[in-house]
Amino acid sequence: ILLMGQRSGRQERSKKPQLALSETMEAETEVRNNKEEAEEVKAKNQRLASVFGVADLKNEAVGLYNLGQTCCLNSLLQVFLMNIHFTGILRRITVPQSAAQQKNSVPYQMLLLLEKMQRGKRKAVGPTELAYCLAQHRVRFFVQHDAAQLFLTLWNLLKKQMKRPELVEELKNLYTICIQEHLACQNCSFEMKSKSTMLTLPLPVLDADSHWLKSLEDCVQHFFLPEELTGPNMCFCQKCGRKTPFLQSMKLVHLPQTLTLHLQRFNFERSSRTYKLSHYLSFPQHLDFREVLPENQCQADASEKATWQYELFAVVAHSGSTSCGHYCAYVRSLTEHKWYCFNDSMVCPVSWDDVKCTYGHPRLNWYANGSLFLPNAALDFGMRAVRSGKTNGFG
């Protein structure tokens, strides 16, 4: 209104204000366009950062929908993706160039699933694209998988498809255990030594006399006990020139930042019958291998042993029998320091007493805890990892 009054009072100066008004409107339009463009670029960068970079998981824990007996896969994915050391490696992968390569890449599809879980406030998301990708690599669904075997399959696919050598090396360092095996002839002084690596430490839950072991510490100690190889198990001695009794022993050389322990609950008999060992077996929240293993079963210096202190990060538990059952995961958030139970799409905070339900029980029943069913079942497979100060993690 003010501009209209000035223009009608001074006709001789009408062109300059009109030109100034036009220039002002163009300037405002340009500023607005630049602002919108800047906001669009910022939003795009934030989307990329959520995938490749920067912010950690700050939203509530997110579940994964069951696509058809994918509870085992869902449980393992939750443990992988809740491990900030693993996701730190995952976020630095080289993105495949073509759409076909992207669909076939397990690391890339796992990265997209992580981004999908972090985007928005959904309680659960579907791992459909990753499941399709795994199917291309002959990972079958609508069958009950063994968690330890599926974990090994996923890890090998990740290691194979990560193109950057330094990331492959970081992945190995994060999970790989190093053992030195000794074979000593009992008739002479001949001895063989060899180092080997493994992804999980397969712990027996029965001793040599088929008695139940009562704790995780007992299982670790029994795994490293020397064993006499006699009868049909004798080995050929190069010095004696024939098969002789040997003493087999193992020494611990190196433990990774993420230590994976596998309780061998599935027992195989000579009659080809497989059954599950569901007896009670406790495990601690903190584990120091220096206190569990004697000095003669370790092959490491003091600096290496100083890192052998662990805290529990995750438990993958199985409820049911060898032919059918259900998996869920108990994971401790490394940012919130709280325990969660991931039961496919259902997620809820739990206490340490709830986690101890996975100690096992002869009766494989379930009990209700609010709207979530927690398994009163045996620990079948655990994996964990995180360094808290100087403390690693195990599971």
Side-chain angles (χ1 to χ4, degrees), residues 226-247:
E227 180 183 0
E228 292 185 358
L229 303 179
T230 60
N233 296 322
M234 290 192 301
C235 301
F236 181 82
C237 177
Q238 297 178 10
K239 190 172 183 180
C240 297
R242 58 186 175 86
K243 284 189 174 183
T244 60
F246 269 72
L247 182 66

Side-chain angles (χ1 to χ4, degrees), residues 72 76 145-153 175 177 198-206 213 215-224 255-256 258-268 274-277 279 281-283 287 289 312 314-318 322 327 358 378-384 393-395:
C72 182
L76 293 178
H145 286 279
D146 176 72
Q149 293 178 353
L150 185 56
F151 171 63
L152 179 60
T153 299
Y175 289 104
I177 305 162
M198 54 184 67
L199 188 60
T200 66
L201 204 60
L203 302 180
V205 296
L206 300 176
L213 297 173
S215 68
L216 182 68
E217 294 90 334
D218 293 339
C219 298
V220 173
Q221 291 171 356
H222 189 76
F223 177 81
F224 285 95
L255 289 177
T258 299
L259 175 61
T260 306
L261 305 179
H262 173 209
L263 294 183
Q264 297 182 306
R265 292 271 192 184
F266 293 153
N267 193 40
F268 301 91
T274 305
Y275 62 95
K276 185 175 178 181
L277 302 169
H279 67 274
L281 194 151
S282 64
F283 50 85
L287 183 64
F289 269 75
L312 188 66
V315 177
V316 176
H318 177 264
T322 57
Y327 280 99
T358 61
L379 171 69
D380 178 74
F381 178 76
M383 55 180 287
R384 166 12 200 103
F394 78 98

Side-chain angles (χ1 to χ4, degrees), residues 79 119 135 153 195 289 291 365 378:
V79 178
R119 190 195 314 142
T153 299
K195 286 187 178 181
F289 269 75
E291 299 176 357
N365 60 326

Side-chain angles (χ1 to χ4, degrees), residues 45-55 87-88 90-95 108 111-112 114-115 118:
N45 290 336
Q46 288 177 343
R47 289 195 299 270
L48 291 174
S50 68
V51 180
F52 298 108
V54 186
T87 56
L90 191 66
R91 283 170 171 152
R92 288 179 285 139
I93 65 171
T94 301
V95 177
Y108 181 70
L111 181 64
L112 292 184
L114 174 64
E115 193 271 340
Q118 291 186 339

